[in-house]
Amino acid sequence: MSVLNQSGSNHSAEAGDIGDRGGAAIGQGHTTEQATAPPLLDTLSEVVFRTDAQGRWTYLNQAWTTLTGFEIEASLGTGFLEYVHPDEVEHTIALFMAVVEGGADHCHHETRYRTRDGSYRWVQIRASVQRGPDGEVIGNVGTIIDTTGARAGSVAIGEHNAMLELVSQNLRLDGVPVGVIIYDHTLRIARSSLVVNQLLGVPQDCGDPLQQLVDLLRPSDNKGQTLGGDWGMVAVALQTSMPQLGDFDLIHGAGTGRSLRLSVIPFSYQEKIALAVIFSDVSDLRRAERHQAGLALLGQHALSGLDLPALLVKAGELVTSTLDVTLCDLLETEEAADGEARMTARVSLGRPAGARSLGSLPAAPTSLLGQILSGDQPLLIDKSDPTTRVNSEDGQWPWMDGCRATVGARIGPVGRAFGVLAVHSSTPRRFMLDEVHFVQAAANMLALAVELSRAQNDRERLAVYEDRHRIARDLHDVVIQRLFATGLQLQAVGRAVAGEPGVRLSGAVEELDQTIDEIRRTIFALSPLSTHIGDLRAEVQRIVTQAEAYLGLTPIVRLEGPIDDGVPRPIHQHLLAALREALANIARHAQADHIAVRVSVSSDDVLVEVHDDGRGPGRAARTGGLANLCQRALGLGGRMEFGPGNNGTGSTLTWQVPLAWQASES
């Protein structure tokens, strides 16, 4: 165990001996022997390391992962300077160069090392320079100790001790800017400052027992030391006569959500051992740490290859847990048609009915969602604020499910945003500025993930299109030509053959003609590279998939004819709007168990037909979205019908427009 000796040459010599005796074990990472029996070095709490002459790690014990979060195998071969704080890289290089050039055999200094979550920890490094037979440097061996807690603790305890010295000189506690409670030898309050009640939200009066304070606090870290109990900070401070330091969160009182740093300091008071508890508010620091850790974790998820739906769920869970809220919506924009912008919920956390409860939401420029999409900053919405204006076009969002306060941020740039990230509090709450910035930072990270996902999808789609185009070309240039030639031959033979054989040959020719027609329809579906590329087929599928979230079921879809090539682009937005409104209408009124969607393109017109087995259309007037669809159809020279389905079951919406009307203008 002398390898851990932190002073003198024994440490250096024995660390070198271990490197020489362990050879492959330390120089090459974890060997089979280490895997089968945990080595002694992996049981140590401090990092033991070895580097080569270029400063690349060649050995790290398990404490490295505990300290930094980085896996050992991934770290081996990387340079130690990659982990040093950028502000201290030059100093570290200069220090080691001075050691090497000066012929010294050891180095001892403090610096900050990067961790996997993006934060930095203070560490103390003791390294021994390893030299070859000719004095050349061949590497370093040493230890790394985490000093973050000790560094912060020594500073805080020093400040609190200085405060205690003033208090012991009978300073009036009413003027002290931090919380101070003096407990007598019976652990009851002898004196306290006014700041204590402000921080705790619960009065602490003379004579109150220490247990009353213990009941208000819990360690900020689940594994942290408690304030009370046999091995709590108070007991240890009294037994050792040494100050104790810890971070705590309030769990009761008006100060709920606040984080405090406590120093428990034993001292002599009226010739007996008393106890001082000194508070400082570290809520901002703790909140910043949570935000930083949350964004780092979200970034890891975004780069881990998660598909977009799974990433959106992860993002919602992370934001709600970081901000300690219960409700979160991730809404996606729908393509605007004639200015009718709307949004669909992709993820809704904390709502009993999930995304289905929101359906399709209006996003007109004057609506709350419209303001979020067009604004430069996130939007704060407070139900208790009398200046908050709610337009009729907003409907019940965001106030449903007990929402009292909301902060919403745009995901993506103005004009082509993916959607909105909105978090809600079910209790009265004023979101802090740093919390608002955190929501926007999370939204920005989601925007980058969306762009990456879209770029990947575009690459994959292009590869599929190229393959489909090749297949379509082969079908057209080879297969159809051969079938056509075979049909001509059979037709010629059929004319020369009388009776039943001739009839059968004619039937075979007709079958070949039908087969050729079917292949041509397949070519229409496979050919994406014509002059009218719109990928309408994929857009139809996307709208149906989005609707599944609020319908609660999966519609059956039939696509017939040259969907992508046969429909001119100017008709696309009207067709998609008709499909979107039909599905939204079913979600609002139908209570259906089955839905069938049919989009058919012929040489003359395009037809959208949506049928459900719900409670039927009823006698309600055709207003709102249905009236708009009728106007669209009439404006294109077509028709829209909405009525009972076949055999009076459910309802059917039919939207049909001619292709020639728009084709003549395109």
Side-chain angles (χ1 to χ4, degrees), residues 19 32 171 309 360 371 374 402 464 468 551 641 662:
T32 303
L171 174 73
S360 181
Q371 294 176 50
S374 60
V464 171
R468 287 168 60 182
L551 289 171
E641 296 178 358
Q662 189 66 45

Side-chain angles (χ1 to χ4, degrees), residues 378-521:
L379 183 64
L380 284 168
I381 308 168
D382 188 350
K383 191 174 185 179
S384 62
D385 187 347
T387 63
T388 299
R389 296 182 179 180
V390 180
N391 301 319
S392 58
E393 58 193 4
D394 286 314
Q396 296 184 1
W397 190 91
W399 310 123
M400 59 184 69
D401 299 317
C403 169
R404 302 296 300 274
T406 294
V407 54
R410 184 181 65 249
I411 303 174
V414 175
R416 55 186 187 91
F418 169 79
V420 165
L421 169 62
V423 296
H424 318 281
S425 173
S426 56
T427 58
R429 173 171 176 172
R430 184 177 297 276
F431 285 98
M432 306 294 290
L433 183 60
D434 60 332
E435 293 175 327
V436 175
H437 290 163
F438 169 74
V439 174
Q440 184 61 72
N444 292 343
M445 196 164 293
L446 280 176
L448 292 175
V450 169
E451 291 299 323
L452 287 174
S453 176
R454 286 175 173 172
Q456 178 65 24
N457 290 339
D458 288 344
R459 288 192 295 270
E460 293 176 354
R461 184 184 304 172
L462 180 60
V464 171
Y465 280 176
E466 290 175 346
D467 199 37
R468 287 168 60 182
H469 184 60
R470 178 187 57 78
I471 295 172
R473 186 178 63 247
D474 291 344
L475 287 174
H476 182 272
D477 295 346
V478 180
V479 178
I480 285 183
Q481 302 307 321
R482 289 181 178 176
L483 289 175
F484 188 72
T486 302
L488 289 177
Q489 293 175 6
L490 291 176
Q491 191 174 37
V493 173
R495 294 194 187 100
V497 177
E500 182 64 22
V503 174
R504 295 176 64 183
L505 284 173
S506 297
V509 171
E510 292 178 0
E511 289 289 336
L512 283 176
D513 287 340
Q514 293 179 7
T515 301
I516 290 173
D517 288 340
E518 292 177 359
I519 293 176
R520 282 176 174 156
R521 284 195 292 272

